[in-house]
């Protein structure tokens, strides 16, 4: 059987995403508490950037599924001294049953996956964060009862999370609109690739959020972002998710943020701690959705 990777949403069909979400609900409800489809396996977590949620939810999830997680932190392998990605992938494939990778360039994870004989899961690259967005889908389903036709307004930087939201929305029939400052729109290649699915992108946050069921934001300056942070933050100020912006959405709208949040920048305390916020359920759902992915491609 050929191995399966999860590098972007293109790796799963709509039906497979639905299967993963259904399974995630079963994991969350406790119905699979003693189920160990990864028993005796070993999963590496090769991280070149810092992490709280992705690292911890994968370590706990791998353990709960019966396997042993090995965290390989930034700068701790011979990659840091120039060993090639392909040689590293070929060697790690001899020890591990799967590898979760967090890195900079997306090309690196593609190169790793091409040379790995075991499944590779994207734990975030500069341009994609698919595991995060699976948890986002689960959270929207929980709070809104479904995904199809839901109006999701993403407000902020056209970054890795934004790109994965575009691909997932196209897969699942979510009506996505995006509001980004001029010059910070999502990758045009990502928008082009999901056609005929349309993603309206505006520079006006109010226009995007009007009538939204879900508002989503993320940090203005991502890990590895080389932009001048001070200059960028000034440009993004009108894109802050605050009570005024939230008041333009549906009355029962929910607010999502992948975390970590820069409180007082892209989101105010009143919104992230307010009654519309679903961000801590969203963080919890990383665990359940990743267990479903691990079961599907590593189990
Ligand atoms: N949301 C997310 O990926 O968080 P971490 O960077 O803490 O893993
Ligand atoms: N866009 C953020 C997401 C962090 C989970 C970053 O890449 O830093």
């Amino acid at each position: 059987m050929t191995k399966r990777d999860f590098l972007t949403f293109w790796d799963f069909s709509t039906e497979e995403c639905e299967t993963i979400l259904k399974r995630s609900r079963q994991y969350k409800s406790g119905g699979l508490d003693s189920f160990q489809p990864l028993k005796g396996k070993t999963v590496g977590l090769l991280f070149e950037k810092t992490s709280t949620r992705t690292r911890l939810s994968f370590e706990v999830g791998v353990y709960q599924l019966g396997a042993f997680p090995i965290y390989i932190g930034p700068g701790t392998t011979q990659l840091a001294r120039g060993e090639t990605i392909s040689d590293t992938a070929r060697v790690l494939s001899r020890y591990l049953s799967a590898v979760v990778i967090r890195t900079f360039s997306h090309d690196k994870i593609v190169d790793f996956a091409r040379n790995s004989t075991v499944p590779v899961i994207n734990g975030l690259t500069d341009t994609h964060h698919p595991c995060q967005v699976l948890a986002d889908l689960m959270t929207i389903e929980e709070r809104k009862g479904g995904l199809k036709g839901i109006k999701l307004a993403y407000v902020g930087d056209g970054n890795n999370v934004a790109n994965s939201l575009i691909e997932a929305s196209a897969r699942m029939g979510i009506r996505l609109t995006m509001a980004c400052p001029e010059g910070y729109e999502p990758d045009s290649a990502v928008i082009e690739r999901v056609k005929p699915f349309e993603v309206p992108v505006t520079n006006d946050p109010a226009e995007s959020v009007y009538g939204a069921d879900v508002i989503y934001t993320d940090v203005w300056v991502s890990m590895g972002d080389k932009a001048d942070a001070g200059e960028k933050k000034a440009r993004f100020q009108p894109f802050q998710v605050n009570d005024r912006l939230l008041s333009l959405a549906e009355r029962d709208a929910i607010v999502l943020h992948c975390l970590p949040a820069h409180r007082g920048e892209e989101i105010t305390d009143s919104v992230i701690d307010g009654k519309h916020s679903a961000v801590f359920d969203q963080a919890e759902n990383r665990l359940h959705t990743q267990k479903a992915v691990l079961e599907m491609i590593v189990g």
Side-chain angles (χ1 to χ4, degrees), residues 124 129 159-161 218-219 222-223 258-260:
L124 181 147
H129 199 2
N159 60 18
N160 42 12
V161 171
D218 184 15
V219 291
S222 286
M223 294 179 279
C258 58
L259 301 178

Side-chain angles (χ1 to χ4, degrees), residues 78-124:
Q78 299 289 11
L79 279 169
R81 293 181 55 248
E83 185 167 14
T84 65
I85 292 168
S86 56
D87 286 352
T88 307
R90 289 165 68 184
V91 171
L92 293 194
S93 296
R94 306 284 179 115
Y95 309 138
L96 302 168
S97 315
V99 193
V100 181
I101 297 180
R102 170 167 284 202
T103 189
F104 293 86
S105 154
H106 192 76
D107 291 345
K108 262 185 161 179
I109 201 170
V110 171
D111 187 10
F112 192 104
R114 200 177 291 128
N115 287 283
S116 166
T117 56
V118 299
V120 176
I121 297 174
N122 184 352
L124 181 147

Side-chain angles (χ1 to χ4, degrees), residues 24-45:
S24 306
R25 290 195 294 276
Q26 291 170 338
Y27 277 113
K28 187 168 187 173
S29 70
L32 295 167
D33 274 357
S34 49
F35 182 53
Q36 299 206 312
L38 268 61
K39 198 168 172 51
K41 299 197 173 192
T42 311
V43 177
L45 276 74

Side-chain angles (χ1 to χ4, degrees), residues 2-18:
T2 53
K3 60 118 179 177
R4 298 220 34 204
D5 301 314
F6 182 38
L7 305 187
T8 72
F9 267 86
W10 295 106
D11 292 317
F12 292 144
S13 65
T14 303
E15 293 69 31
E16 286 175 321
C17 287
E18 281 164 355

Side-chain angles (χ1 to χ4, degrees), residues 47 49-57 102 123-124 129 131-132 136 161 216 218 223 257-260 282-283 286 290:
F47 277 37
K49 292 175 174 172
T50 52
S51 170
T52 298
R53 281 142 289 271
T54 308
R55 174 188 175 171
L56 270 297
S57 56
R102 170 167 284 202
L124 181 147
H129 199 2
C131 288
Q132 174 63 52
D136 305 340
V161 171
Y216 197 126
D218 184 15
M223 294 179 279
H257 189 308
C258 58
L259 301 178
Q282 182 186 3
R286 296 292 306 274
Q290 287 159 194

Side-chain angles (χ1 to χ4, degrees), residues 184 220-221 225-236 265:
Y184 294 98
W220 292 337
V221 183
D225 188 338
K226 293 188 182 67
D228 178 316
E231 206 175 287
K232 198 170 175 189
K233 286 176 187 175
R235 288 284 307 280
F236 275 71
E265 292 185 10

Side-chain angles (χ1 to χ4, degrees), residues 161-170 176 178 186 190-191 194 197 199:
V161 171
N163 289 335
S164 290
L165 277 173
I166 291 170
E167 294 179 350
S169 297
L176 174 67
M178 305 198 122
V190 174
I191 293 183
V194 296
F197 180 80
V199 186

